[in-house]
Amino acid sequence: MLRTDMQSRLQKLQKNRPQIRNICILAHVDHGKTTLADSLVASNGIISQRQAGKLRYLDNREDEQLRGITMKSSAIALQFVRMEEEYLINLIDSPGHVDFSSEVSTAVRLCDGAIVVVDAVEGVCPQVCGGGEDPASLPRLSRSSLAG
């Protein structure tokens, strides 16, 4: 019943273009893109919170599961509610390894925006800013900036 209800809500949202956002996740390999994607998938009740980060839900190819890296972009439609407004988020988990940069370029061209994941120790890696952007100009959010 819950799954059918979610499907019908997503189908309704698909017809409401102003409420659709296409978002990709960008980062260097092993910086947490797929873990973040798993957490967002879990927030929609598709997988359990305990499996988020371990399941690699959007890495559906056998070679991706074996190697533990994303090689092909994968997308999923998720519901997001903000201030009583419902949105359909088409989330794309993109590869982080430079060998798969064409997958990342395609994902970026299809999206309205991106979530950029940066490792706090390694910082911004060159392929994350492949378009020549200055890493210093990227907006930042850290745990310390969230402290109230």
Side-chain angles (χ1 to χ4, degrees), residues 120-132:
V121 175
E122 291 185 36
V124 177
C125 293
Q127 55 269 42
V128 174
C129 293

Side-chain angles (χ1 to χ4, degrees), residues 99-121:
D99 289 349
F100 308 109
S101 60
S102 64
E103 285 285 323
V104 178
S105 298
T106 301
V108 169
R109 282 192 298 268
L110 295 172
C111 290
D112 303 312
I115 300 170
V116 179
V117 180
V118 178
D119 184 283
V121 175

Side-chain angles (χ1 to χ4, degrees), residues 5-6 12 22 32 35 45-46 50 52 63 71 81 83 85 90 93 99 102 112-113 115-116 134 138:
D5 182 46
M6 177 66 82
K12 180 181 172 190
N22 300 314
T35 301
I46 297 168
R50 284 193 330 261
D63 54 349
M71 292 185 267
V81 179
M83 297 173 24
E85 289 276 338
N90 293 314
D93 182 18
D99 289 349
S102 64
D112 303 312
I115 300 170
V116 179
D134 176 11
L138 292 173

Side-chain angles (χ1 to χ4, degrees), residues 10-128:
L10 288 175
Q11 287 173 347
K12 180 181 172 190
L13 280 170
Q14 288 173 343
K15 296 174 184 166
N16 190 0
R17 293 190 93 171
Q19 301 303 108
I20 298 174
R21 301 292 185 271
N22 300 314
I23 306 291
C24 61
I25 303 174
L26 303 173
H28 185 59
V29 67
D30 291 333
H31 282 192
K33 291 175 306 305
T34 302
T35 301
L36 174 61
D38 273 3
S39 295
L40 295 171
V41 168
S43 74
N44 270 233
I46 297 168
I47 63 173
S48 76
Q49 288 289 346
R50 284 193 330 261
Q51 290 180 309
K54 299 174 192 148
L55 185 61
R56 303 182 61 86
Y57 186 79
L58 294 176
D59 285 349
N60 48 31
R61 293 170 32 147
E62 185 178 349
D63 54 349
E64 290 177 319
Q65 289 289 335
L66 289 172
R67 292 178 64 183
I69 63 169
T70 303
M71 292 185 267
K72 288 283 186 187
S73 295
S74 297
I76 190 167
L78 301 173
Q79 176 193 18
F80 176 71
V81 179
R82 181 171 184 254
M83 297 173 24
E84 299 184 26
E85 289 276 338
E86 270 189 314
Y87 293 88
L88 175 70
I89 304 294
N90 293 314
L91 183 73
I92 300 175
D93 182 18
S94 65
H97 195 279
V98 69
D99 289 349
F100 308 109
S101 60
S102 64
E103 285 285 323
V104 178
S105 298
T106 301
V108 169
R109 282 192 298 268
L110 295 172
C111 290
D112 303 312
I115 300 170
V116 179
V117 180
V118 178
D119 184 283
V121 175
E122 291 185 36
V124 177
C125 293
Q127 55 269 42
V128 174

